[in-house]
Amino acid sequence: MSTTAATPLGVLFRPQAIIATILVGEAFAVVLALSPAHSPDRLVHFGLASLAIQWVAMGTLAVLHVLRKHLARLPAARLAWVALGSFISISVLVAWGAVLLAELAVPLPEARTSFLLRWGCIALVVGLLALLTYRNYWNARQLAVRTKQLELESLRARIRPHFLFNTLNTSAALVHARPDEAERVLLDLADLFRAALRGPERVPLAKEVELTRRYLEIESFRFGPRLRVAWSLPDPLPDANVPALSLQPLAENAIRHGIEHMPGGGNIDIRLRHASGWITIEVENDMPADGNRATDGHRIGLNSARERVRALSAGRGDVETRLVNGRHLARLTIPEDVPAA
């Protein structure tokens, strides 16, 4: 989602908002045409009302769009009054133009001032209702954003201790047998967590790849030749952002539910492709002979990574898993235009 679309004014210029404005205007024109005060020729009244309402609605949006850079600096309350004033002013201007055109053909049954005052009052009431509706919509939108942020914080609280405990287990396994390597693992772990715990929600792709490399290097101390990793990356890597801790859990899942349960070890293949504005990363690993280990366990890291990717890419990205020729495949797909945190 772009920054502009996330602002109060930016939301008004999205296609969905413009279409909704047109439809609401048409519904209001139908109400006016069905009013008992009108003559039997209601179709004509509907056409005239529809034309006037769309001129007012689109004119107000056009004025706000032209002035959006200046209006963006205003507090929300003042911005609302400016928008209401623009709506009323354009409504009166359209009504005044309609009066001038009508007087060329037939005299109006009421005075010009009275007609304009009546339309101004109608515009005030409709504008206040529109502001109230939009305020409720914006508050609900902000609440949804805050809820999503809390969900992400919850996911982060789950994935990071899970990552930490699994990596500490690797260090503990080396303390007595290979203390020098255990020390190196702990130093690498410290560097790893400085990058993982203090970083933003979104990181450059190169940083996430490096984080995953460091994790696999730590695991290689415990598994030795049992762990065989093959990387297939483009050179250079795409200059794009991805959710932090999105690739690393896929590699961790490949080890915990695949390689770890194979006495002879196995292979992990990590491939990255970049095409048509999308980044695809595949982590494919060997599985135990019974083929069931890959679906055992809580898989906290994998599930949390999936939710983080979906949330931080506005639902466009995803993490999918399946079995391919007896191997477990996890595919991370994300658009390259994910904004930086």
Side-chain angles (χ1 to χ4, degrees), residues 80-274:
W81 287 113
V82 170
L84 179 60
S86 301
F87 178 76
I88 296 175
S89 299
I90 294 176
S91 298
V92 172
L93 286 174
V94 171
W96 182 66
V99 168
L100 294 180
L101 291 176
E103 288 181 341
L104 295 177
V106 60
L108 291 177
E110 60 182 313
R112 179 186 302 179
T113 303
S114 175
F115 179 80
L116 295 179
L117 181 61
R118 183 160 61 91
W119 271 99
C121 291
I122 293 176
L124 176 61
V125 173
V126 173
L128 289 174
L129 290 175
L131 281 181
L132 180 61
T133 302
Y134 183 76
R135 178 184 177 184
N136 292 335
Y137 164 77
W138 183 253
N139 288 340
R141 180 186 175 91
Q142 294 300 99
L143 181 60
V145 170
R146 179 56 183 162
T147 301
K148 183 59 67 176
Q149 290 174 344
L150 292 175
E151 290 177 359
L152 290 176
E153 291 175 4
S154 175
L155 290 170
R156 179 169 55 190
R158 291 168 57 197
I159 191 172
R160 288 178 173 174
H162 180 260
F163 179 21
L164 173 62
F165 297 149
N166 282 341
T167 311
L168 286 177
N169 287 336
T170 300
S171 305
L174 296 172
V175 167
H176 297 293
R178 290 176 283 176
D180 292 339
E181 292 183 359
E183 179 181 4
R184 180 178 172 184
V185 167
L186 291 175
L187 291 176
D188 286 343
L189 180 62
D191 293 338
L192 197 63
F193 267 80
R194 269 193 289 270
L197 297 182
R198 297 181 182 178
E201 292 289 354
R202 304 170 186 84
V203 298
L205 175 61
K207 185 174 182 179
E208 181 66 17
V209 169
E210 178 60 23
L211 180 75
T212 306
R213 284 187 184 273
R214 299 292 293 275
Y215 169 76
L216 291 172
E217 287 175 0
I218 290 175
E219 290 287 38
S220 67
F221 284 105
R222 182 159 69 102
F223 288 95
R226 291 178 57 204
L227 176 60
R228 299 177 291 274
V229 182
W231 291 82
S232 178
L233 306 176
D235 187 18
L237 286 172
D239 184 15
N241 296 303
V242 297
L245 292 177
S246 55
L247 173 58
Q248 182 276 331
L250 305 188
E252 181 178 346
N253 185 74
I255 292 177
R256 299 303 173 193
H257 303 285
I259 309 303
E260 190 174 75
H261 301 282
M262 303 175 66
N267 300 304
I268 297 178
D269 299 315
I270 302 177
R271 301 179 291 270
L272 189 150
R273 297 193 302 273
H274 175 224

